[in-house]
Amino acid sequence: MSDITNARGYPIGEMSKRTGVNIETIRYYERINIMPQPDRTAGGNRQYNHEQLKRLSFIKTSRELGFSIDEIRALLEMVDRQDFTCGEVHGLTIGHLASVREKIKGLRKLEKALVGMAAECSQGDLPDCPILETLFEAR
Amino acid sequence: MSDITNARGYPIGEMSKRTGVNIETIRYYERINIMPQPDRTAGGNRQYNHEQLKRLSFIKTSRELGFSIDEIRALLEMVDRQDFTCGEVHGLTIGHLASVREKIKGLRKLEKALVGMAAECSQGDLPDCPILETLFEAR
DNA sequence: GATGCGGTCTGTAGCCACTACAGAAGCAAG
DNA sequence: CTTGCTTCTGTAGTGGCTACAGACCGCATC
């Protein structure tokens, strides 16, 4: 009886508050088919259920871990079809981990270069800057 | 006399080869006003001079160091107006360095989380995966 | 002078993952 | 019934390019 309140489901703003995903982004996820089309009220407003809330949380968590939409799509498809193995999921994760490590490596190089450049700079008032000279160096 | 050959300047393909910047990207840089409109041949093809080659190299190097187009625009404006001080340039560089370090920090966190998740996974053939469980965890 | 071929031209659309509107309509409380 | 917040659809913008299509340039060769 009092279940009815819950059975009505969550409007999109509630979903947004609970997951931290922007309302427009939730609709975007629906458009690109990683979120299903939810029920609608008589007036046409979206009504989500608990499973859909969990799915959105999954997407949010995965995005925060840097998985691309396509990677998430792959994960969700496995889940939806129930035909994944733990090994497959592990593989996807390890692949993503490798790309994260690549990015870190690249940024560390940048960091070094920037530190080197900044260290040579007197920070003075004169319009004569070793940083600009480095940037202008011939390649 | 024999200078005339050089005075003709570089066509866009030559600029691309010398700097490693894609032809379409060079035109894009012109459109967004960080590269000037070069001379044209009678037929309408772009002809760049040596100064413009140096400018494009500057942009390329800066992009490789992760500076945003807007940051590069700021650097180039200082250079163009000749009214920069070394301190200003230093400031811009340090600001950029800070954002690079932020990114590295974020990625390290991701790396840790991914390693943790992957370590708990048996990689087995069973459709029961701790990675997915983690991703599905309530927030 | 015709031909061929590669370089270049403009303009437009696509990429990723959102974000930001405009203008209309739904919905709940007083 | 009004008020005021939420939600609706559809479209366009973000950054920093990249990828075409279809036409034209420019130089070498015959």
Side-chain angles (χ1 to χ4, degrees):
Chain A
M1 310 269 171
S2 59
D3 279 352
I4 290 170
T5 337
N6 264 348
R8 262 188 214 144
Y10 321 108
I12 198 166
E14 183 70 19
M15 291 284 279
S16 175
K17 261 176 224 148
R18 287 194 187 220
T19 59
V21 178
N22 215 314
I23 289 181
E24 349 257 315
T25 306
I26 298 174
R27 287 196 284 252
Y28 167 72
Y29 286 161
E30 186 182 326
R31 207 160 63 244
I32 63 169
N33 294 315
I34 61 175
M35 280 297 286
Q37 298 194 317
D39 285 349
R40 300 284 184 140
T41 62
N45 284 14
R46 288 172 181 79
Q47 292 285 136
Y48 293 92
N49 62 31
H50 192 68
E51 203 200 330
Q52 289 159 351
L53 176 61
K54 271 180 63 190
R55 190 182 182 91
L56 187 56
S57 293
F58 179 98
I59 296 170
K60 168 78 169 174
T61 306
S62 304
R63 284 296 296 139
E64 282 174 354
L65 287 168
F67 285 95
S68 74
I69 294 289
D70 271 354
E71 285 168 332
I72 294 171
R73 205 192 298 275
L75 286 170
L76 285 171
E77 263 167 32
M78 288 194 268
V79 174
D80 289 344
R81 289 188 323 225
Q82 297 272 45
D83 72 346
F84 61 88
T85 64
C86 193
E88 283 176 300
V89 176
H90 184 88
L92 227 155
T93 306
I94 290 298
H96 176 54
L97 178 56
S99 86
V100 168
R101 284 183 168 150
E102 271 306 296
K103 265 185 215 153
I104 292 176
K105 232 167 105 180
L107 286 174
R108 283 234 189 84
K109 261 196 199 163
L110 290 196
E111 190 194 7
K112 252 194 199 164
L114 289 169
V115 167
M117 272 171 27
E120 283 183 35
C121 179
S122 67
Q123 307 176 47
D125 288 341
L126 298 170
D128 181 27
C129 183
I131 292 179
L132 289 183
E133 271 158 41
T134 304
L135 292 176
F136 264 122
E137 247 157 41
R139 49 177 52 241
Chain B
M1 309 269 173
S2 58
D3 280 352
I4 290 170
T5 336
N6 264 348
R8 262 188 215 144
Y10 320 108
I12 197 165
E14 182 72 19
M15 291 285 278
S16 176
K17 261 176 224 150
R18 287 195 187 219
T19 59
V21 177
N22 215 314
I23 288 181
E24 349 257 316
T25 305
I26 298 174
R27 286 196 285 251
Y28 167 74
Y29 286 162
E30 185 181 327
R31 207 160 62 245
I32 62 169
N33 292 317
I34 63 175
M35 281 295 288
Q37 297 194 318
D39 285 349
R40 300 282 183 141
T41 63
N45 285 15
R46 289 170 179 79
Q47 291 285 135
Y48 292 93
N49 62 32
H50 191 69
E51 202 199 331
Q52 289 158 351
L53 176 62
K54 271 179 63 190
R55 191 183 181 92
L56 186 55
S57 293
F58 178 98
I59 295 171
K60 169 77 169 173
T61 306
S62 304
R63 284 295 296 139
E64 283 174 353
L65 287 169
F67 285 96
S68 73
I69 294 289
D70 270 355
E71 285 168 331
I72 295 171
R73 205 192 296 276
L75 286 170
L76 284 170
E77 261 166 34
M78 289 195 267
V79 175
D80 288 345
R81 288 189 321 227
Q82 297 272 45
D83 73 347
F84 61 89
T85 64
C86 193
E88 281 177 299
V89 177
H90 184 88
L92 226 155
T93 305
I94 289 297
H96 177 54
L97 178 57
S99 86
V100 169
R101 285 185 167 150
E102 270 306 297
K103 266 185 214 154
I104 292 176
K105 233 168 104 180
L107 286 173
R108 282 236 189 84
K109 262 195 198 164
L110 291 196
E111 190 194 6
K112 253 193 199 165
L114 289 169
V115 167
M117 271 171 26
E120 283 183 36
C121 179
S122 67
Q123 308 175 47
D125 288 341
L126 298 169
D128 182 28
C129 184
I131 292 178
L132 288 182
E133 270 158 42
T134 303
L135 292 177
F136 264 122
E137 247 156 42
R139 48 177 53 242

